[in-house]
Amino acid sequence: MITATTARNALIGVLLASAAVPVPVLAQAVVAGPSNATAPDIGSPEIVVLGTRRLDRTLTDSASPVDIITSSELQTQPSANVIDVLKDIVPSFFVGQNTISDASTFVRAPSLRGLPADEVLVQLDGKRFNRSALVQVYTGGDTGLSFGSQGSDLSSIPSIAIKSLQVLREGATAQYGSDAIAGVLNFGLRDNKTGFEAIARYGQYYDHGDGRSKDIQANLGLSLGDRGFVNISGEYSDDGQTIRNSTRPIALIFAQQNPGLASQLPNYPDPVQTFGSSPTHGWKTIVNAGYDVTDNSRLYVFGNAAQSFTNESFNYRSPISGTAVDVSGVSHGLGANGSFNTIYLTPCPAGNVTCPAGGFVSNGQTFNFTSIYPAGFTPRFLGKNTELYGAVGYKGHLDSGFTYDVSVNTSRNSLDLSMYNSLSPTYGPQSQTSFNFGSLIQKETDVNLDLSYPLNIGLYSPLTIAAGAEYRHEDYTQTVGDVQSYGAGPYTAAFPLYRQLIPGLYTRDGTSSGQSPGASGYGGTSPAAAGTFGQNSYAIYGDLEADIVKALSVGVAGRYEHYNNFGGDFVYKVNALYKLSDAFSVRGTVGTGFHAPSPGQSNDQILTTNFVAGNQVQTGTYANSSPIAQYYGARTLGPEKSYNYGAGFVVKPLRALTVTVDGYSIYVKNRIGITQNFTVTAADIAAQPALLSVGQGGAVNYFTNGFNSVTQGIDVVGSYRMGLLEPGDLNLTLAYNFNRSRVTSVDKITARGQTVNILSDAQIVDVAHLAPAHRVVLTGNFTHDRFSVLARVNYYSSWVDAVDYPIVNAAGYPIGQVFKDKATADLDVGYDVTKFLTLSVGGTDIFNTKPDRIAHVEGVNNIYPSTNSLSDGQVYPRSGGPFGINGGFWYVRAKVKF
């Protein structure tokens, strides 16, 4: 069994050995980036196309830190989801498992270097990839580093279509536009003219044999005569559900009290709700084509289409209350869900003064949702995600070296949301049990012109002059859901009850319990929130790069970008590389950047369900231009601005060994977040009747610019290739990342007698500690004749979740639960049965490592011995942590290639 301490010591030893030179410690460490998944062939260095306009840059002479992940590395991963592949091999890339996190389970929001998904620019073959339709408004730890963001959905890209992934580990807004604060991911597409390749994989998790996963991928290259090609990639995957929790204690109590109804508990005999991976299936394709119109010019076109279906468990709604004793011997009440409160159906007789209008008679004419769900219910949330992306362009060069590229790309991403096994409590007997919540749609169109020319002005190399322009248009749309999914029915408000004494004479008999509006679990889009919201921008840029002398390369870039709704911004970038010798170079970067608020962030409006003391409470996130947000002090969103600084060096002490060390410091101001909750009162509803959809006691928040942060870290990447057991080859790569973000200031907003922060103290803790501060990825790839072995060890330092597990110190400040450092190991063994067929067996997390279990803290994390879990059945952290809670996974894979 590999322990975290053993793995850490071994990896530190390899790191020091592979560096082969003294490595100075930077005073301020910086952020993390990906690893060179597979080292380039000796004598055939990988060409870098990211972060530069020159065509002769390689990994070791690039002034910008760039990592290249090859197609073979991506294809050896067992996951069909690119986002999980990157999580395992890119040290500074973080994404939660998202076990129960509303719509964020359907579009998981990653983080690079501790910064949110929409501060990372994603490209397909050098063209901007579109955002997802989902704006991340879920408030749990799952989205702690990307809360409020609207980034790209990487899961729509089939891994077999990728020729290589280049990761730029520095800010590049001046070169590529808004969002490139943390870095750039460029997925280069396969362009082979011939050949067929297919991969079939089956696997499942060790625990319970669940999470059965099936995946089929194929790639076909076709030639268009001597001048063109069409390359087609496709993938179908089907991933089953995993369960890594116990049932709820209240469900056990229900089964004991009602043995005849036990089999009607949701998911029986499994836990009544599920913390684990949600079942998902779907397909994805990419077509890439090019045709040489002349010897020096090409017409190109490529597109991506994908669709996925996910079925997520929500929290169980109990029809009964009960008490349970925790491991400390303290008894706690476990409340019934408010949906099961009795609803009175008989209104007061018209004109009766002792039972006035608006009151109801407390007689036997009642309704209770136990008639539909006698053992309670667990809503199932469905997400259908559809991606359509297309790009067409024409590029070429003249004999003088002048290059041009003009292109248009357009896209549409949609997320259709629905639910079953639920109810809309305010509609009582007329309630639906399934709902359509409407669709979220993101459309984008980009038009680009890129030009470059090498000019000889007496420097060591020609001066590469690049310039270009871009026009962008975005539309964000919300469509209307079912009325009951968002509406407030006849039983919303609490009303007075009257008991009949004699015919015609009534007396007051208390007050009913008002129900929470909207569907139980989520809220559909109302007509007031529905609509299409657009945003236009244009940009111009200029870029100069040259080798001033043989040893010194310098690049300067500037960009002006103007938006129709908040104006313009100018950003710049300067970087340089100086070769002290053939074996040692230093490099550095200074630049500014920005992230423009998306139409989705400016106009998103949605209702989600939270529980307070077992009762359903609606939380409404409103567009900051809406009357409700304005009522609570909202102001127009503006851009986030960043200041990036980097310094590092490249060492090549041996022909086969390369080590890079790069430090970063990124300061981001006016970051976009979501306010803490304003509590809705009866007076608020009277002033803003639209608040009835949230209800008294509900909560309201909205997007705003409201905090600043600093992210600092360091990346160390080493690669070494050697011959071993001739004709074998051993390729070793190591990537270490230290990363730490810190919130430096947070705004407060005062409105309607309430003062709230933009971020809670627990969120501030999670920004700094939700992702491990230290990550190490050590990969060894050995090939010999027909055999190949890929082994990888991932080390994760300790991390904290303070939002989901609000433990406080003696001063009352949240510190959260600390989850200890861990190491996981992956192994893949392949054998070429013939030159056309390769069979592989392997596993991820082969020693079945999981995060620490949730610790018992009285009054905060109450663990019950009846289930050895929290009251909702949680055993492991709900976000999954940095490597998930599913544990070990084995697989078999067959690959054919012609």
Side-chain angles (χ1 to χ4, degrees):
M1 182 73 175
I2 294 178
T3 66
T5 301
T6 301
R8 176 178 57 196
N9 293 339
L11 291 172
I12 291 173
V14 173
L15 174 62
L16 294 176
S18 65
V21 294
V23 179
V25 178
L26 300 186
Q28 295 293 335
V30 178
V31 190
S35 67
N36 295 28
T38 302
D41 292 335
I42 303 302
S44 301
E46 294 278 6
I47 298 298
V48 171
V49 299
L50 200 59
T52 180
R53 307 291 180 183
R54 294 177 60 171
L55 302 178
D56 59 350
R57 285 302 188 203
T58 64
L59 284 172
T60 55
D61 65 9
S62 171
S64 300
V66 178
D67 295 304
I68 298 177
I69 301 170
T70 65
S71 59
S72 59
E73 175 76 357
L74 294 171
Q75 290 178 25
T76 56
Q77 304 305 309
S79 174
N81 194 331
V82 168
I83 202 170
D84 286 315
V85 173
L86 296 179
K87 172 176 65 71
D88 291 336
I89 62 180
V90 177
S92 63
F93 190 93
F94 175 89
V95 64
Q97 184 176 336
N98 292 30
T99 54
I100 299 180
S101 53
D102 291 352
S104 294
T105 295
F106 308 138
V107 184
R108 292 152 61 203
S111 168
L112 185 67
R113 303 188 201 141
L115 295 173
D118 57 4
E119 291 182 3
V120 180
L121 179 63
V122 179
Q123 296 179 333
L124 281 186
D125 246 12
K127 306 303 177 184
R128 178 183 286 265
F129 193 54
N130 58 285
R131 309 180 198 274
S132 159
L134 181 69
V135 183
Q136 302 287 343
V137 299
Y138 177 69
T139 57
D142 310 62
T143 59
L145 299 182
S146 280
F147 184 46
S149 69
Q150 187 183 5
S152 300
D153 182 11
L154 302 179
S155 63
S156 67
I157 303 173
S159 60
I160 199 170
I162 302 170
K163 183 178 181 179
S164 70
L165 167 62
Q166 296 198 6
V167 184
L168 175 63
R169 295 185 277 112
E170 68 179 14
T173 298
Q175 293 169 300
Y176 301 112
S178 172
D179 306 345
I181 291 176
V184 183
L185 305 177
N186 180 37
F187 292 88
L189 302 180
R190 291 179 63 164
D191 55 3
N192 47 288
K193 296 182 178 181
T194 60
F196 173 77
E197 181 178 345
I199 302 172
R201 174 189 52 77
Y202 174 83
Q204 65 185 49
Y205 288 95
Y206 298 178
D207 291 358
H208 317 298
D210 64 6
R212 293 179 177 86
S213 177
K214 293 162 281 187
D215 182 64
I216 299 174
Q217 307 179 52
N219 175 266
L220 175 65
L222 300 171
S223 65
L224 299 177
D226 295 331
R227 305 186 72 90
F229 73 93
V230 176
N231 189 275
I232 305 169
S233 301
E235 180 176 343
Y236 175 80
S237 62
D238 187 349
D239 295 326
Q241 179 172 276
T242 64
I243 302 174
R244 297 297 179 266
N245 62 291
S246 300
T247 198
R248 283 180 173 248
I250 192 64
L252 291 183
I253 295 172
F254 181 90
Q256 294 165 358
Q257 295 179 354
N258 305 275
L261 294 175
S263 62
Q264 296 189 45
L265 286 166
N267 306 323
Y268 182 84
D270 290 327
V272 291
Q273 70 186 64
T274 301
F275 288 100
S277 295
S278 300
T280 301
H281 68 276
W283 55 267
K284 53 192 96 168
T285 62
I286 282 184
V287 177
N288 184 27
Y291 190 83
D292 294 337
V293 179
T294 69
D295 291 342
N296 295 331
S297 66
R298 168 173 289 185
L299 176 68
Y300 60 88
V301 60
F302 58 88
N304 171 217
Q307 194 167 79
S308 65
F309 304 83
T310 304
N311 186 330
E312 177 188 0
S313 170
F314 263 33
N315 291 287
Y316 170 64
R317 277 72 165 156
S318 172
I320 66 168
S321 297
T323 59
V325 177
D326 67 23
V327 294
S328 297
V330 179
S331 181
H332 298 274
L334 305 175
N337 184 264
S339 301
F340 290 100
N341 292 334
T342 298
I343 294 175
Y344 295 88
L345 303 177
T346 305
C348 286
N352 190 298
V353 295
T354 61
C355 189
F360 280 71
V361 179
S362 58
N363 57 16
Q365 299 299 312
T366 61
F367 174 80
N368 195 288
F369 280 104
T370 53
S371 60
I372 300 175
Y373 299 115
F377 65 101
T378 299
R380 299 294 303 197
F381 195 23
L382 305 180
K384 175 185 173 183
N385 201 331
T386 304
E387 168 71 19
L388 295 171
Y389 177 96
V392 60
Y394 188 66
K395 63 183 179 180
H397 66 275
L398 304 181
D399 293 340
S400 64
F402 176 79
T403 69
Y404 57 90
D405 185 350
V406 58
S407 64
V408 178
N409 58 278
T410 187
S411 59
R412 183 184 190 274
N413 183 276
S414 64
L415 179 60
D416 303 326
L417 302 172
S418 60
M419 182 172 283
Y420 67 93
N421 286 352
S422 186
L423 50 82
S424 187
T426 64
Y427 286 88
Q430 288 74 46
S431 173
Q432 300 171 201
T433 57
S434 61
F435 304 90
N436 173 21
F437 295 127
S439 298
L440 307 175
I441 304 168
Q442 173 77 11
K443 293 182 180 180
E444 298 180 27
T445 299
D446 297 82
V447 182
N448 288 90
L449 173 66
D450 298 292
L451 308 170
S452 71
Y453 180 71
L455 181 64
N456 287 305
I457 60 173
L459 302 177
Y460 183 78
S461 76
L463 174 66
T464 299
I465 304 173
E470 179 179 30
Y471 170 79
R472 298 184 61 211
H473 177 77
E474 293 185 62
D475 281 330
Y476 176 74
T477 300
Q478 296 183 135
T479 67
V480 177
D482 294 342
V483 171
Q484 288 194 14
S485 72
Y486 62 82
Y491 306 105
T492 301
F495 45 77
L497 295 174
Y498 296 87
R499 176 168 49 88
Q500 184 176 7
L501 297 176
I502 59 175
L505 180 62
Y506 297 82
T507 186
R508 185 70 181 269
D509 193 28
T511 303
S512 73
S513 298
Q515 297 282 8
S516 181
S520 181
Y522 204 74
T525 301
S526 68
T532 297
F533 312 94
Q535 178 172 284
N536 300 312
S537 68
Y538 66 83
I540 56 174
Y541 77 85
D543 192 329
L544 301 174
E545 295 181 69
D547 295 337
I548 307 301
V549 295
K550 182 179 180 180
L552 176 62
S553 298
V554 176
V556 179
R559 185 183 187 96
Y560 176 77
E561 198 151 347
H562 186 276
Y563 287 77
N564 66 307
N565 50 2
F566 62 80
D569 207 350
F570 175 80
V571 292
Y572 67 87
K573 173 180 172 181
V574 179
N575 63 2
L577 178 136
Y578 186 75
K579 295 182 178 180
L580 295 170
S581 70
D582 290 340
F584 189 84
S585 304
V586 295
R587 59 190 179 189
T589 300
V590 175
T592 60
F594 75 100
H595 160 67
S598 69
Q601 289 173 312
S602 296
N603 297 283
D604 183 65
Q605 185 164 314
I606 203 160
L607 289 176
T608 56
T609 299
N610 293 305
F611 289 89
V612 178
N615 294 317
Q616 179 177 314
V617 175
Q618 297 292 79
T619 299
T621 299
Y622 287 90
N624 57 14
S625 60
S626 70
I628 289 177
Q630 294 289 318
Y631 177 79
Y632 287 104
R635 53 183 182 262
T636 303
L637 287 181
E640 302 173 336
K641 297 186 178 183
S642 69
Y643 304 87
N644 297 58
Y645 308 93
F649 56 87
V650 181
V651 185
K652 292 189 65 177
L654 302 172
R655 184 167 178 263
L657 173 64
T658 302
V659 177
T660 64
V661 178
D662 292 282
Y664 304 81
S665 184
I666 307 172
Y667 172 63
V668 187
K669 59 183 291 189
N670 299 325
R671 284 187 60 172
I672 297 172
I674 302 176
T675 68
Q676 295 300 288
N677 292 332
F678 292 93
T679 301
V680 177
T681 66
D684 294 330
I685 295 175
Q688 288 287 335
L691 285 170
L692 191 62
S693 62
V694 177
Q696 184 175 346
V700 166
N701 56 47
Y702 53 82
F703 284 85
T704 189
N705 299 91
F707 67 103
N708 301 333
S709 68
V710 171
T711 298
Q712 297 174 321
I714 189 168
D715 292 322
V716 180
V717 179
S719 63
Y720 181 74
R721 172 167 287 184
M722 61 179 291
L724 181 66
L725 302 177
E726 193 68 28
D729 287 301
L730 176 64
N731 175 34
L732 297 174
T733 62
L734 182 145
Y736 163 76
N737 165 233
F738 167 78
N739 185 83
R740 180 58 53 83
S741 291
R742 178 170 54 91
V743 174
T744 57
S745 64
V746 180
D747 291 349
K748 296 179 182 289
I749 295 177
T750 299
R752 305 301 164 186
Q754 302 179 55
T755 298
V756 303
N757 288 336
I758 306 304
L759 297 180
S760 69
D761 290 340
Q763 286 177 310
I764 293 172
V765 171
D766 280 3
V767 167
H769 302 292
L770 186 63
H774 301 273
R775 273 285 313 272
V776 182
V777 183
L778 174 62
T779 304
N781 193 346
F782 175 68
T783 59
H784 184 274
D785 195 19
R786 294 187 175 189
F787 283 95
S788 64
V789 178
L790 174 70
R792 177 183 298 109
V793 175
N794 268 288
Y795 168 74
Y796 308 84
S797 66
S798 62
W799 56 281
V800 174
D801 186 343
V803 169
D804 295 319
Y805 311 106
I807 303 169
V808 299
N809 60 17
Y813 189 82
I815 55 174
Q817 178 170 344
V818 178
F819 295 87
K820 292 184 295 188
D821 58 334
K822 302 279 185 176
T824 65
D826 307 331
L827 183 66
D828 182 277
V829 179
Y831 179 73
D832 296 334
V833 180
T834 70
K835 69 176 182 178
F836 304 114
L837 174 64
T838 301
L839 299 180
S840 304
V841 295
T844 60
D845 193 4
I846 58 177
F847 298 109
N848 203 27
T849 301
K850 297 186 180 70
D852 293 343
R853 297 170 73 100
I854 298 168
H856 173 76
V857 178
E858 188 61 46
V860 179
N861 300 335
N862 299 313
I863 302 295
Y864 296 89
S866 60
T867 58
N868 202 23
S869 72
L870 298 181
S871 63
D872 61 2
Q874 287 185 67
V875 173
Y876 299 104
R878 62 181 298 153
S879 71
F883 56 90
I885 62 176
N886 285 329
F889 178 89
W890 65 263
Y891 61 88
V892 293
R893 181 175 57 235
K895 176 180 178 179
V896 295
K897 187 173 183 180
F898 299 96

